[in-house]
Amino acid sequence: MGNSIWTGARPERDEFSHRHIGPSDAEAATMLAAVGAASLDALVDQTVPAAIRQKEPLGFGPGMTEMEVLARLRAVASRNKVLTSLIGQGYHGTILPPVIQRNILENPAWYTAYTPYQPEISQGRLEALLNYQTLVCDLTGLDVANASLLDEATAAAEAMGLAARVAKSKAQSFFVDSACHPQTITLLRTHAEPLGWALVVGDPATDLDPAAVFGAIFQYPGTTGEIRDFRPQIEALHAAGAIAAMAADPLALTLLASPGDLGADIAIGSMQRFGVPMGYGGPHAAYMAVRDAYKRSMPGRLVGVSIDSRGRPATRLALQTREQHIRREKATSNICTAQVLLAVMASMYAVYHGAEGLAAIARRVNRLATVLAAGLKSLGFAPLSTGFFDTVTVDAGDRAGSIIAAAAAAGVNLRRVDGSRIGISLDETTTPEIVEQVWAAFGGKPDAEALSPADSIPEALARTSAYLTHPGFNTHHSETEMLRYMRRLSDRDLALDRAMIPLGSCTMKLNATVEMMPVTWPEFGQLHPFAPEDQAQGYREMFDDLSARLCAISGYDAVSLQPNSGAQGEYAGLLAIRNYHLSRSDAGRDICLIPASAHGTNPASAQLAGMRVVVVGCDDSGNVDIDDLKAKVAQHGPQLAAIMITYPSTHGVFEEAVTEICDIVHQAGGQVYLDGANLNAQVGLARPGKFGADVSHFNLHKTFCIPHGGGGPGMGPIGVKAHLAAFLPGDPREAGSHAVSAAPFGSASILPISWAYMLLMGDGGLKKATEVAILSANYIAARLEDHYPVLYRGAEGRVAHECIVDLRPLKDKTGVTVDDVAKRLIDYGFHAPTMSFPVPGTLMIEPTESEPLVEIDRFCDAMIAIRQEIRAIEEGRWPVEQSPLRHAPHTVDDAADEQWNRPYSRREGCFPSGSSTDKYWPPVNRIDNSYGDRNLVCSCPPLSEYAEAAE
Ligand SMILES: *Cc1c(COP(=O)(O)O)cnc(C)c1O
């Protein structure tokens, strides 16, 4: 573009799409020749059914340059006003240590990694997550913690679900402390209603009837700051066979008796104030910890210690083949993408400060809060509670509005709890000057030195148990050590900054640096999610434009940016369908049809939305079996709520019958949920909202460049047709709003990534990205089809943006498993493709448009070389147990093994691609999963064990 008098001819590379898309035009021509297509257009014509093809352009115009986009982002950012936030309510100012900001949050070695399903190449982030679990266990005084949930409010909903599963009580009600954060109460309502549970919201001291509930949740300290002792309530709940959960502030827990000490069964909360910016709502990690007895019912991913084939300790995800909690219809939770990067940051914050440092921060915050309280009292505003940690609430009567306005004018946001009460939450960043500004807003200037602040931690609830005694939290306190520790861990991992990660369905594409830059700008990072709207005008502008673009891309009429993962989007979309039916007095529609090939989160979300799952079969080509669909629709007619389909299908094919499927369901009064995880095959080519679907989620961490962060964060906004718009999730502060996230715009601070991507690519770039993604998948299919069967193709023999290769025949012949091939790929320097989804015994490969041809070829060469190795087993040259496949991955210990006695050489084992330059060495050999599940250890083992194992 841009041949003007000013610029002359711009170099092609000036256009960002040429940076984002891996293959050059010349390489694309080579690839087209290999797949036997005359042009990209011709290939797309053969791949995407004509009936659903989009004719018009997206209407975004040409892409912007990186410098133009940065300028645009700067302009938008400058419309956000960063005030000092003392709003609290679950979100606090915090200091992200610069060494962690630059070396984790801004470091692609951490943020471009995938969920650690392949533990041998994930030892770094798994160790960081084990630290996180240890941190949570220590602070909460409970036995087992998972490696992050989405936010505090959804964690509370997960706790309610867990309580329902494990309680002896058969009651159908759940008690909620009225001092829980308002957004937590709203989300509990959202989740309880479809499952038929009643919520009792009240004062634990007076309103709790233990015999009437299966569980209860208490906030500690309460949302307006008060610290209460829940021991009597917890004992009474236990006597009645009910479960006690506590939502606890982790910084307060450094000074307060832990939930475990008080007898609680479950603790949940937000780790945001451990160094993670508020980000106008997110992302940050929520935590959950439970008593040992409930660990097998806990949602989320659990990191555990096991051993590798050399008997060394090694970490991996415990208690699951893939996701123990997403067991389709039997699911207990739908959480998939979590908040790994943020959990890693929080754990590093604890490593950086250590137990003493954290306690010192907490004591200082508490000290300032007591000074603030004493000053307010001297001004005639006595705090409503004498026991508090960091939050003071006062009744300002009819002066509340003017005080809050005066504070804002001085640059400080206070919380308007209700008509007359004002909440003030201090944090690590609070200075004496800020306290004085608050006093000034209340109309006075007390002499701080003359005040006598009273101790505000109730003696009976002072913490006595130790925490963070593990050496890992007590050694890396100099910046040099901290830097090296983080570097050491990241070096153990294989992320996108080293190699292609060809995971089907996960769309591991480029996360461009320029897209990442705004994430750490204070104008995006330092806003409280409940800051007044006039301070977030920049965010508003971006949300509106991003939503409009998502509508244009998807063909829907309205978008909600609230769900903070794909699975949360599914949940929000199904709730919209449910409430749409109910609004039309069409009760009794609770059947959700789901094809057998669906992602596990689909049935899990349906079941959480109170729907009954009925599975629809697939035919031999992987398509929805239309006859079976018709039969199921006929059978359930008036009870049919929805169908959930994935498009292109999880088999990687554009089904020709998609419009027919939508018609069949609509005619029976059902709605169509189209799982948008595979939108990367459609942008600019086809629009779900135009070919029959009613609602979809968009995984912004797949198609729209938010990095996976090692298993989160993500964003899963949903788009809906106009008739569902009224049922989109509302403001989480409003009871009954059907909100699905704690914050109105979910993880707002990562939305600039997706927005920047759209601005950079423009109309043509986005469409071309889709076309090249399809070309690359077809190229891989063409290169591999002589070596492995490639399953599932469309009507004209094309795959969509991913392809599935079948290893089952080879397994039958040789015993080589999918695992063997996946681990052997590590020796060649690759992350494995998606294993055994949607079909057991297969690999699903998705290259995305971002991989250059040389990398795609390197991967295909590796796959072909592995096929030759399997042939050596077929021909009896290697027994499978003694083959490099079974012994994969190989480590430095193999290269240096003085007792080497295998039928292949150390060089063949360690350097199968021939080259030893730039070799990635996994830090451990193959990990024994079942050993770890038999001997479950989910927090940092004492260092002595490592020493013993190393001997
Ligand atoms: C990734 C994926 C999901 C789940 O999305 P999350 O963001 O991980 O919750 C759902 N369906 C399909 C097909 C997916 O690939």
Side-chain angles (χ1 to χ4, degrees), residues 218 230-239 242 244 246 259 262-265:
F218 311 114
F230 297 111
R231 273 173 286 211
Q233 288 84 4
I234 292 173
E235 271 173 39
L237 285 163
H238 286 164
M246 287 172 66
L262 302 187
D265 305 293

Side-chain angles (χ1 to χ4, degrees), residues 90-170:
Y91 303 89
H92 303 273
T94 179
I95 298 169
L96 167 56
V99 68
I100 298 176
Q101 172 172 333
R102 174 148 303 175
N103 296 289
I104 304 257
L105 179 55
E106 297 177 339
N107 181 351
W110 288 95
Y111 68 69
T112 69
Y114 184 66
T115 308
Y117 292 130
Q118 296 292 335
E120 293 85 358
I121 55 125
S122 312
Q123 290 296 298
R125 56 193 185 275
L126 284 164
E127 176 167 325
L129 292 173
L130 197 69
N131 290 345
Y132 177 80
Q133 293 176 178
T134 305
L135 167 67
V136 171
C137 288
D138 281 12
L139 290 178
T140 59
L142 289 168
D143 305 311
V144 184
N146 69 17
S148 87
L149 294 174
L150 291 166
D151 58 33
E152 175 164 335
T154 50
E158 298 275 11
M160 173 172 64
L162 174 57
R165 289 195 295 283
V166 301
K168 292 202 186 68
S169 165
K170 294 285 162 263

Side-chain angles (χ1 to χ4, degrees), residues 13 18 20-28 31 768 772 775-776 848-853 856:
R13 284 277 154 198
H18 291 281
H20 175 85
I21 296 173
S24 67
D25 288 346
E27 286 166 347
M31 294 159 78
K768 187 158 177 199
V772 174
L775 170 63
S776 296
T848 84
E849 71 278 9
S850 295
E851 289 304 332
L853 179 56
I856 293 175

Side-chain angles (χ1 to χ4, degrees), residues 92-107 110-111 271-279 283-284 341-353 358 361 427-430 479 482 486 516-522 524-526 749:
H92 303 273
T94 179
I95 298 169
L96 167 56
V99 68
I100 298 176
Q101 172 172 333
R102 174 148 303 175
N103 296 289
I104 304 257
L105 179 55
E106 297 177 339
N107 181 351
W110 288 95
Y111 68 69
M271 297 302 288
Q272 180 265 319
R273 71 189 312 176
F274 276 42
V276 182
M278 288 182 283
H284 0 89
L341 187 70
L342 304 311
V344 168
M345 286 169 64
S347 80
M348 289 299 178
Y349 178 90
V351 168
Y352 179 82
H353 287 295
L358 292 177
I361 293 169
D427 59 56
E428 186 189 3
T429 67
T430 308
E479 179 157 332
M482 192 67 204
M486 293 185 290
M516 293 299 294
M517 289 177 75
V519 172
T520 43
W521 294 353
F524 290 121
Q526 311 288 11
S749 67

Side-chain angles (χ1 to χ4, degrees), residues 334 336-337 505-506 565-568 570 599 601-602 646 650 675 677-678 697 699 701-702 837:
N334 65 343
C336 180
T337 286
S505 213
C506 302
S565 75
Q568 291 304 89
E570 294 170 15
H599 192 271
T601 53
N602 288 189
T646 305
T650 55
D675 181 328
N678 289 343
H697 70 262
N699 304 65
H701 47 298
K702 294 177 182 174
F837 171 76

Side-chain angles (χ1 to χ4, degrees), residues 574-575 577-578 590-592 606-613 641-642:
L574 290 173
L575 287 183
I577 290 174
R578 175 187 151 83
D590 68 345
I591 295 287
C592 188
Q607 119 84 33
L608 291 177
M611 296 184 181
R612 288 182 289 154
V613 174

Side-chain angles (χ1 to χ4, degrees), residues 249-433:
D249 177 335
L251 190 62
L253 290 183
T254 62
L255 305 183
L256 293 180
S258 71
D261 289 341
L262 302 187
D265 305 293
I266 307 170
I268 60 104
S270 167
M271 297 302 288
Q272 180 265 319
R273 71 189 312 176
F274 276 42
V276 182
M278 288 182 283
Y280 202 46
H284 0 89
Y287 74 79
M288 174 182 274
V290 299
R291 295 202 174 281
D292 191 70
Y294 307 129
K295 66 187 176 211
R296 285 171 203 274
S297 306
M298 186 168 55
R301 299 186 177 121
L302 188 60
V303 176
V305 183
S306 187
I307 52 171
D308 77 353
S309 61
R310 288 181 176 271
R312 285 175 296 200
T315 43
R316 89 286 176 243
L317 295 179
L319 295 182
Q320 52 192 332
T321 42
R322 189 175 158 104
E323 304 282 4
Q324 43 100 21
H325 57 280
I326 319 181
R327 283 172 311 173
R328 305 191 73 87
E329 301 77 65
K330 295 202 194 72
T332 53
S333 161
N334 65 343
I335 186 166
C336 180
T337 286
Q339 302 282 21
V340 166
L341 187 70
L342 304 311
V344 168
M345 286 169 64
S347 80
M348 289 299 178
Y349 178 90
V351 168
Y352 179 82
H353 287 295
E356 278 172 37
L358 292 177
I361 293 169
R363 277 194 299 269
R364 184 176 167 280
V365 171
N366 178 243
R367 170 81 193 170
L368 282 173
T370 58
V371 174
L372 169 74
L376 288 172
K377 194 171 173 192
S378 77
L379 295 172
F381 297 92
L384 297 176
S385 169
T386 50
F388 55 85
F389 164 58
D390 65 348
T391 299
V392 174
T393 299
V394 297
D395 195 326
D398 54 12
R399 289 185 52 202
S402 59
I403 290 170
I404 286 176
V412 178
N413 285 327
L414 307 180
R415 173 177 175 199
R416 181 122 195 205
V417 178
D418 53 28
S420 63
R421 288 186 296 162
I422 297 176
I424 308 148
S425 290
L426 307 190
D427 59 56
E428 186 189 3
T429 67
T430 308
T431 58
E433 293 70 38

